[in-house]
Amino acid sequence: MKIAIIGSGYVGLVTGTCFAELGNDVICVDNDKNKVKSLKEGEIPFYEPGLQELVTRNVKEGRLSFTDKIGEAVDFAEVIFIAVGTPSRPNGEADLSYVDNVAREIAEHMKSYKLVVEKSTVPVETGEKVMQTIKRYNKQNVPFDVASNPEFLREGSAIEDFLKPDRVVVGVQSDKAASILKKLYEPLNTNIIVTDIKSAEIIKHASNSFLATKISFINAVANICEFAGADIQKVSEGMGLDRRIGKQFLYAGIGYGGSCFPKDVDAFVTIAERKGYDFGLLKEVQRINKDQRKRFVKKIEDALWVPKGKTIAIWGLAFKPNTDDLREAPSIDIIGALLKEGATIKAYDPVAMRRMKAIFPEITYCKNPYEAAQDADAIVLLTEWNEFKQIDLKKVKNSVKYPLIVDGRNVYSIDDMEALGFHYISIGRREIKP
Ligand code: NAD
């Protein structure tokens, strides 16, 4: 099949590359000329495990190409995926201006039948607006369909998630659109859920909001564990083994971040309100999530007494492991708060330091976690990279000024930390003092 992907970011580039890998002819478009230039030179503009090899192979074999000219892609393809950003506006609703721009541009270039597919995460009824926009701006009355095909990949395991999904959701209003999309996804040999467009749009918002709810729920339970002297890891284990609940997303920590959960929960709350429903449950999910970061900063401040003049090593900057994405990363709020208190920050992350330099040029970036910990008054762990799980804690303890670890991801065992003689503060578990 001939496919165009408009927007070559995390989702667009992975989607386009994976469709090419399945044997389709794919052209990825982006209006960021520098991004397209790097892609043409074989450079991937962000970190995603395995993507570089897959892009290189598919370009070499002639199935994948890049352009900054949307007209070229519209001419080429029968199926056009919109994969541009849908960030939050200040009032919480999704900013659909990028989707609107792309819909107009597609309409202006369309000369033959096209299936236009929303891959971006959008509020319910966006499909109708995309349809209306294409009708308005296509002067030749060319036939077309609009469909919704929300993406569920996770950064860090995006390729595996795309090629081996739990399910594919396809929202359509015509049999033709359904059969094109079913054929496209057939090689994945997975469950294909065919719905109307609005239901598909809601499936995506509801799924992300549900996962965010699970995270805020377990964080709230962790706070009760702290007050009561219980252990959240045992509580999570005891709950998660119940198959009705499930273990995933039941890990207490410093809350969710990233480019999806915060904005998608915001957008779901806002669209619900607009449709006449007050989604109070999700507002509480948001409140707990924000509060979790503040509680964590307070833990660091309480442990240090006066952060001013102290050196804090930060281990991990990305919002989760295996990505360099810093959008809505808890590290930004936490480092910002500590800098405001007058602390000196030495940070290390395996892949996200380059991006963080643009946000906090004033902090020191280190070559490895040991260098960051050298002479520190506290180590603050914010991302659960494997590298930190396997670190030589004895060596670390010998190099710091005071062996305090404030662990926002519950990476270490309480017993190990006690045996090693650390002052160890984590989430929803007892504090260990040397
Ligand atoms: P991104 O910011 O990484 O990429 C978006 C790209 O679109 C950018 O490269 C931008 O330059 C390009 N763009 C914007 N306007 C354009 C235009 N008019 N023409 C061509 N290109 C244009 O965003 P992302 O993380 O890939 O997310 C895209 C969508 O997918 C969002 O709606 C997001 O919610 C959704 N989503 C993201 C993830 C994820 O893990 N990142 C997962 C599932 C769904």
Side-chain angles (χ1 to χ4, degrees), residues 5-13 29-33 35 45-46 67-68 70 82-87 97-99 101-103 105 119-122 150-156 158 204 208 259-260 263-264 319-320 325 327:
I5 312 277
I6 322 286
S8 306
Y10 286 88
V11 165
L13 188 57
V29 188
D30 208 286
N31 63 355
D32 177 339
K33 287 191 168 26
K35 199 176 256 187
F46 51 85
T67 180
D68 56 18
I70 194 166
I82 304 178
V84 295
T86 48
S97 58
Y98 303 92
V99 176
N101 282 342
V102 171
E105 287 186 87
K119 187 56 119 174
S120 301
T121 302
V122 290
E151 184 49 57
F152 299 96
L153 63 77
R154 296 160 299 173
E155 287 172 20
K204 176 63 189 176
N208 273 5
S259 67
C260 292
K263 86 167 170 62
D264 292 348
F319 84 95
K320 66 173 183 180
D325 199 343
R327 291 178 282 185

Side-chain angles (χ1 to χ4, degrees), residues 247-317:
K247 280 194 257 185
Q248 293 193 48
F249 287 79
L250 220 51
Y251 299 103
I254 44 179
Y256 58 81
S259 67
C260 292
F261 286 6
K263 86 167 170 62
D264 292 348
V265 175
D266 278 356
F268 205 25
V269 167
T270 323
I271 190 73
E273 222 149 61
R274 203 183 263 196
K275 294 277 109 199
Y277 182 69
D278 178 7
F279 213 146
L281 171 67
L282 286 185
K283 290 181 185 167
E284 191 55 20
V285 166
Q286 294 171 312
R287 192 196 62 75
I288 294 169
N289 197 56
K290 285 201 182 96
D291 198 45
Q292 202 64 5
R293 295 182 188 186
K294 289 190 198 136
R295 289 175 63 88
F296 187 70
V297 170
K298 187 160 184 308
K299 279 182 182 181
I300 303 167
E301 288 172 355
D302 287 350
L304 287 172
W305 181 34
V306 178
K308 190 170 178 188
K310 306 238 163 84
T311 299
I312 301 176
I314 302 283
W315 284 356
L317 300 169

